């Protein structure tokens, strides 16, 4: 079955919420409330005991719905799910999200049988199922939201170019809430739940052609169909970065997975090898997953591992060097020619070597001119800059000047070199960091995290070169990301 | 010379600012402005061309000051520093902070000679010197602030029990600004600069008896006097945790240090061995340094490495397990007795093993009662809890209930077991996390960071046991931290 079929999960014109409830304490109430908050299509409630819920017309059964909806969201007690799914099939509904829990994850024979039953029904009617036991789908662009958390206690992120797939619903929701606070935009979020049908491989493959998605992030505990998973990576990683947070690295973690989702975590060495061999990038925690994703969402891959560190603070330059070298990046000595060029534009007390330390006495132009020399030097493949926005000589205009000169240097050079930033600081610094991100320069709260993000851009660049798709990716990045920025 | 002498650097009654300037663009202006903003003692400006600056009476020379001040802060051009220091000596001033740059850090023979000259003068007059080439000192409690950054572009943290010593001034300032935003309180901040006299060892030893300081954090690039440094660790680590971020781990980083501060980074293996052998805890980045410090500032050390993970989200429980095990913590299987007790109080779908997954359907009491069982079990030495404040069954009262029951359990048990939290989430979650921290439970933004903080509590506990000071430390912790909390 082609993954094109999945499109309807993200851009439905009509949705039925089966199990919509008038009782505000019920999942089926909050779910409907969240859905109608921003979804512009047609929404129907299915509930035999109501005429209308939250202003949405209710129908006693799926059969009585006035149309064959694009998507049914099922939130009824688990024992009722099979018959509801059967009704969907009879009605002709072909996409279903099952929120209800009480299946395989129980670990009981009853739960397992119930899940087998819904798989049988889905196959019989060619219904594609997301779930069961999941939070479903959130798509900011279309306003689709099948989650049932109270928006008093969490926020939802805006539209952006990062897709996020999570096997854990709670973790997925926490990440959405975090992303909203961090200002990270999401293209599509899918909570996989028990993945009785649609799994990570389907979604990875689908997202390849999704124009709203630049980078794919995934949290998984285990993969059931290894061959299918590898196929999806082979198809997608030459064109879009796939970053995976796979838990169960430790024996104890794997044991915990067995009791959490019932997935077989499998040998971590095998996962690690598969990720490396098929170009997926592995993250070892939530912060790392999204640090890398943010870098890909704004910056091009690096053509090599030689980086320049451009800093206002000497200590941060040293720490950034340690972190970069430990990751396998190179912080090379620059040629005499470049050192001399840098010396000419920097303060006498500055260090024109690499890391380039413009010092705390620097003014905006020292950072800007040094960056330009580095970009044009041909001696580095990426830049980690560490502005100190509180330094006395740094003005409120630094970010604008830096980005505008960066753009000029790129134009003259004819190609892009990734630039990521690190900023430790407080409120004012965060305002300036946000400004830089609005202009496409990702800013991380520590040099270690910035170095890891830059490392990911290098690793993926190396993978693209191996695949022979580096130039294609770069062309697409320039067209879809770089040229679309409003500056 | 005894370190008691250093007390006057932090609690002076009178300060002279030499080089105070009427020109708002000058360091000597902003420095005076920052100092008088909160310092309650007597302040004098020394400037031959002014009668008064920012409302502070100015004197033409040090000799003409109406008293022998406790502390002189020197911010004049480097060539003038030796004669100013000489004047301080003649006047009888015995504590000096030299902000001015232009000494050894230049790497020139002139700079080195100039630094040797001020060291000679200081020795001759028995003057203790902080700096040169530094940001000086910040003490929230006394309002002492010798930094010269514009408060429009940075904030200063409140009083707290974490001391921070930084060889890098810019990094130190950035951390203060970050600490203010994060809500981390600082007892004393010292920017060491070239440390021509007062160095990290002096301060470590001084802070041992500083009642405002519970934990000592340090950023250093190199130690000049290894024996003295080791002596200070030997004296202090059996009583207070010393956490060190030492850069120059890599060859390239060490090279960068040589051009930053002129310190010899030395072999990293030697540093690492010294830290381990003498009980200092090594942090590998700024976030780690302060994550650990925050843990020590609120929680007792762990008596062993067996931890329980108590989570609302199954995925987070797995990730926390991985992170903990990778650090050398144990996530042990619990006894049948404890598993049965947990099973009785938790939902049927919960997992009563370790990690204990109360599930996203949990209510407050599931977390609270499971915690109580774990604390009393005798089977774990620490708890990593992962509440999901957005979960439907979790109320706004969770934190209060949790901390109050924790206190009851402690009272009955007769000893404390460290508890740290991990919370991924957005605005509402951050409000609740802050509430938990106000009540003494540190909350970290990822399970990996929480695990590392808990690991530090374990490592230091093991060190204290080795030193035979575990019980003393715990008694002091209970008296100075635990019993002083307002709950």
């Amino acid at each position: 079955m082609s993954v094109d079929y999945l499109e309807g999960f993200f851009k439905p014109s009509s949705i039925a919420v089966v199990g919509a409830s008038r009782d505000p304490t019920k999942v089926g109430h909050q779910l409907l409330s969240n859905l109608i908050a921003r979804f512009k299509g047609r929404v129907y409630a299915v509930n035999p005991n109501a005429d209308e819920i939250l202003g949405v017309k209710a129908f006693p059964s799926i059969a009585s719905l006035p149309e064959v909806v694009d998507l049914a969201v099922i939130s009824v007690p688990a024992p009722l799910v099979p018959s509801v799914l059967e009704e969907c099939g009879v009605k002709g509904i072909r996409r279903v999200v099952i929120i209800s829990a009480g299946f395989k994850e129980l670990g009981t024979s009853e739960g397992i049988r119930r899940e087998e039953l819904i798989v049988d029904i889905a196959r019989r009617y060619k219904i594609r199922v997301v779930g069961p036991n999941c939070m479903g789908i959130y798509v900011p662009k279309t306003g689709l939201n099948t989650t049932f958390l109270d928006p008093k206690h969490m926020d939802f992120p805006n539209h952006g170019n990062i897709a996020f797939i999570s096997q854990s619903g709670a973790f997925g929701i926490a990440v959405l809430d975090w992303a909203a606070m961090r200002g990270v935009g999401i293209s599509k979020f899918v909570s996989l739940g028990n993945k009785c049908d649609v799994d990570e491989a389907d979604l990875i493959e689908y997202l390849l052609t999704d124009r709203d998605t630049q980078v794919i992030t995934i949290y998984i505990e285990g993969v059931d169909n290894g061959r299918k998973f590898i196929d999806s990576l082979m198809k997608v990683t030459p064109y879009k970065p796939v970053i995976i947070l796979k838990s169960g690295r430790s024996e104890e973690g794997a044991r915990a997975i067995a009791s959490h989702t019932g997935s077989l975590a499998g040998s971590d060495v095998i996962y690690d090898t598969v990720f490396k061999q098929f170009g997926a990038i592995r993250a070892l925690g939530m912060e790392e997953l999204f640090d890398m994703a943010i870098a890909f969402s704004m910056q091009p891959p690096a053509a090599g591992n030689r980086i320049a560190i451009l800093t206002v603070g000497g200590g941060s330059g040293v720490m950034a060097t340690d972190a970069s070298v430990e990751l396998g990046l190179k912080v090379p000595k620059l040629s005499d020619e470049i050192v001399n060029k840098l010396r000419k534009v920097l303060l006498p007390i500055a260090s024109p070597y690499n890391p380039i330390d413009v010092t705390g006495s620097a003014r905006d132009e020292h950072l800007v001119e040094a960056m330009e020399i580095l970009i044009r030097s041909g001696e580095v493949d990426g830049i980690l800059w560490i502005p100190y926005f509180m330094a006395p000589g740094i003005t409120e205009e630094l970010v604008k000047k830096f980005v505008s000169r960066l753009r000029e240097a790129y134009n003259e050079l004819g190609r892009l070199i990734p630039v990521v930033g690190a900023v430790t600081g407080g409120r004012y610094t965060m305002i300036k960091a946000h400004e830089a991100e609005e202009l496409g320069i990702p800013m991380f709260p520590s040099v270690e995290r910035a170095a890891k993000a830059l490392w990911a851009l290098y690793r993926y660049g190396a993978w693209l070169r191996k695949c022979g798709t580096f130039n294609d990716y770069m062309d697409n990045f320039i067209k879809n990301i770089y040229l679309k920025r409003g500056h």
Side-chain angles (χ1 to χ4, degrees), chain A residues 229 233 244 246 271-280 282:
Chain A
F229 178 68
L233 292 183
I244 302 177
K246 159 76 178 75
Y271 278 102
D272 211 59
T273 306
V274 164
F275 295 160
K276 283 205 183 90
Q277 195 171 344
F278 300 101
R282 186 168 196 175

Side-chain angles (χ1 to χ4, degrees), chain A residues 168-205:
Chain A
S168 166
F171 179 65
I173 287 293
V175 164
L176 289 185
D177 188 18
W178 167 85
M181 183 176 65
R182 170 69 174 81
V184 170
I186 296 290
S187 58
K188 278 153 185 92
F189 164 72
V190 182
S191 159
L192 291 170
N194 295 2
K195 39 185 183 172
C196 81
D197 173 26
V198 172
D199 64 11
E200 56 287 326
D202 293 317
L203 290 164
I204 291 170
E205 200 177 327

Side-chain angles (χ1 to χ4, degrees), chain A residues 17 24 163 178 196 238 240 264 289 336 351 359 361 420 433 453:
Chain A
V17 177
W178 167 85
C196 81
K240 287 189 183 179
L264 287 174
L289 181 67
D336 291 347
S351 176
T359 83
S361 305
V420 307

Side-chain angles (χ1 to χ4, degrees), chain A residues 135-317:
Chain A
M135 295 285 178
I137 298 169
Y138 172 64
V139 183
K141 200 175 182 181
T142 59
L144 174 61
N145 185 348
T146 73
T147 72
F148 53 87
L149 279 293
D150 188 341
K152 273 207 306 289
H153 291 170
M154 73 164 290
D155 299 310
F156 290 93
N158 291 327
H159 175 68
N161 61 13
I162 300 173
F164 178 44
I165 301 163
S166 178
Q167 188 170 351
S168 166
F171 179 65
I173 287 293
V175 164
L176 289 185
D177 188 18
W178 167 85
M181 183 176 65
R182 170 69 174 81
V184 170
I186 296 290
S187 58
K188 278 153 185 92
F189 164 72
V190 182
S191 159
L192 291 170
N194 295 2
K195 39 185 183 172
C196 81
D197 173 26
V198 172
D199 64 11
E200 56 287 326
D202 293 317
L203 290 164
I204 291 170
E205 200 177 327
Y206 165 75
L207 290 167
L208 172 63
T209 54
D210 177 40
R211 301 183 64 157
D212 289 328
T213 297
Q214 177 70 22
V215 44
I216 301 165
T217 61
I218 305 174
Y219 169 73
I220 41 170
E221 304 191 343
V223 166
D224 298 324
N225 186 336
R227 189 67 244 166
K228 184 179 168 193
F229 178 68
I230 288 173
D231 281 347
S232 73
L233 292 183
M234 285 176 70
K235 281 184 196 159
V236 176
T237 61
Y239 305 100
K240 287 189 183 179
V242 178
I243 317 176
I244 302 177
L245 174 54
K246 159 76 178 75
S247 64
R249 294 191 297 272
S250 62
E251 200 184 308
E252 293 84 345
R255 201 176 66 209
I257 284 176
S259 69
H260 178 218
T261 45
S263 283
L264 287 174
S267 156
D268 193 67
V269 175
I270 293 177
Y271 278 102
D272 211 59
T273 306
V274 164
F275 295 160
K276 283 205 183 90
Q277 195 171 344
F278 300 101
I281 298 164
R282 186 168 196 175
L284 298 180
M286 187 278 279
E287 292 181 313
E288 209 168 282
L289 181 67
F290 279 88
D291 285 348
M292 293 179 185
I294 290 164
F296 283 113
S297 78
M298 300 183 191
Q299 288 289 312
N305 69 348
R306 305 165 305 163
I307 68 158
I309 294 168
L310 175 59
T311 183
V312 170
S316 295

Side-chain angles (χ1 to χ4, degrees), chain A residues 91-113:
Chain A
K91 181 77 175 182
I93 297 169
R94 293 295 173 259
R95 290 175 211 90
V96 170
V97 173
I98 304 175
I99 304 294
S100 320
F103 297 86
K104 197 181 72 183
E105 82 283 0
L106 295 180
T108 63
S109 57
E110 194 191 357
I112 293 167
R113 264 202 312 275

